[in-house]
Amino acid sequence: MPKIFLTGATGYIGGAVLARILEHPLQHLSEITVIVRSAEKASLFNRTFGKKHNLNAVVGSYSDLALLRELAADADVVFACADADDLPAAKAILSGMRDKYSANGTPPVLIHTSGTGVLSDDADGMRASSTIYSDLDIPQLETLPSTQPHRDVDLTLVEADSQGYVKTYIVLPSTIYGFASGPLVENGLQNWRSQQIPRLVNVSLQRGQGGMVGKGKNWWGNVHIDDVAKLYITLFDLLDNPSPPSNFTHGRAGFYFAENGEHTLYSVGEAIAKLLSNMGKGSPAPTTFSASEIRQYFPAGTSLGSNSRCHAERGRQVGWRPSRTTHDMLQSVGAEVEESLSR
């Protein structure tokens, strides 16, 4: 089993992936290094998982480029689960992997976290898009401009793969939902809550009414956090398969969407609005965020009005089997409202 370096260990995605690695039947044969910002959390990681799971937590961040390069150079497999848009950090990790390749002549593996935000448009909630991207249709994906979210980092990884010193696999989750669970959550080490739906819930609670951008006609894919983590491990397990499926590819074709259904943003706003209405807050139909509310609640901008439609065909063809559906996503809104109210 390889040496593993994982970033984002305390995050929603990275923590869920790490939890699965710790549960892997052959995990005891691996060496795992994680990088965390807090010395306190690094100490807790090492006390809790160090000896039992051969894990070493190092204090640092994505701004510590020399450290990223050093840790990547010592790894056979890197799981990059932190900031999908940090190009300097991605380049530092790639530099370390080039060092690894120079040392032993075997290309290491980078499993990188991007997102289907790369597919987003400017619908502003006013229209649905008929364009649905497939991760098997590489020419279609290559029509995406480099100015799209995450795209500059993704293209940098693909170029590195083409040079032969690294094998890159890019995972692109859609709207992730559900509460993460497992040993990291139980020990207070991991963020266990998503972003998009909780953000909508919190804003709706503040304004006293379920809301949406525009008319909420835009569509996004969705996927449960457990199914996302399952995709990473599916790819990881295939690395040592002597006869992998034909669509288990890396580099130019190494894009893996994560979705198991799709929804309109109206449906999410409606689910929130109905719950709040039952509590005596607002009407059961969502209303449009005003321009002033957009500025107030989303000062850095928001993709909640965009379309981001895709089919996760490549992952399914290599063995990924997601189980949670759009119905589960809409049902999860109730727990999100309860959690926000409890805070």
Side-chain angles (χ1 to χ4, degrees), residues 93-311:
I93 290 171
L94 288 172
S95 293
M97 304 191 87
R98 186 192 289 272
D99 295 340
K100 178 74 171 183
Y101 175 73
S102 297
N104 66 13
T106 300
V109 168
L110 173 58
I111 302 178
H112 172 80
T113 307
S114 180
T116 64
V118 71
L119 312 177
S120 60
D121 62 15
D122 59 354
D124 290 329
M126 301 304 292
R127 65 181 188 276
S129 172
S130 60
T131 301
I132 303 177
Y133 290 85
S134 166
D135 48 14
L136 293 178
D137 190 343
I138 300 307
Q140 181 193 34
L141 292 178
E142 289 180 341
T143 65
L144 294 168
S146 61
T147 52
Q148 286 290 96
H150 320 318
R151 188 65 173 157
D152 58 342
V153 175
D154 292 355
L155 290 175
T156 298
L157 269 58
V158 170
E159 172 59 25
D161 185 288
S162 73
Q163 295 178 28
Y165 67 87
V166 63
K167 294 181 179 180
T168 62
Y169 301 83
I170 300 175
V171 178
L172 303 93
S174 51
T175 298
I176 313 177
Y177 66 93
F179 296 151
S181 60
L184 276 72
V185 174
E186 293 164 6
N187 284 278
L189 287 167
Q190 178 191 353
N191 169 34
W192 49 274
R193 202 175 181 203
S194 186
Q195 295 183 23
Q196 191 182 69
I197 294 176
R199 181 65 173 152
L200 272 173
V201 167
N202 291 336
V203 168
S204 297
L205 285 169
Q206 290 178 63
R207 70 197 293 262
Q209 170 67 55
M212 59 193 171
V213 175
K215 296 182 178 181
K217 292 184 175 182
N218 53 305
W219 289 81
W220 270 73
N222 55 75
V223 62
H224 192 275
I225 182 59
D226 291 344
D227 287 327
V228 173
K230 193 187 302 181
L231 176 56
Y232 285 83
I233 301 304
T234 298
L235 300 180
F236 177 67
D237 284 342
L238 286 169
L239 296 175
D240 285 331
N241 189 327
S243 301
S246 59
N247 279 317
F248 179 59
T249 52
H250 55 89
R252 175 175 178 259
F255 288 83
Y256 297 80
F257 290 140
E259 63 77 30
N260 198 36
E262 61 176 357
H263 59 276
T264 63
L265 268 291
Y266 182 92
S267 67
V268 178
E270 182 181 44
I272 297 170
K274 285 181 176 179
L275 288 165
L276 297 189
S277 179
N278 289 338
M279 295 166 13
K281 299 177 183 291
S283 70
T287 61
T288 299
F289 296 129
S290 67
S292 62
E293 285 178 322
I294 293 287
R295 291 192 296 271
Q296 176 184 353
Y297 297 124
F298 309 101
T302 179
S303 62
L304 293 174
S306 66
N307 289 284
S308 175
R309 308 186 70 182
C310 65
H311 286 156

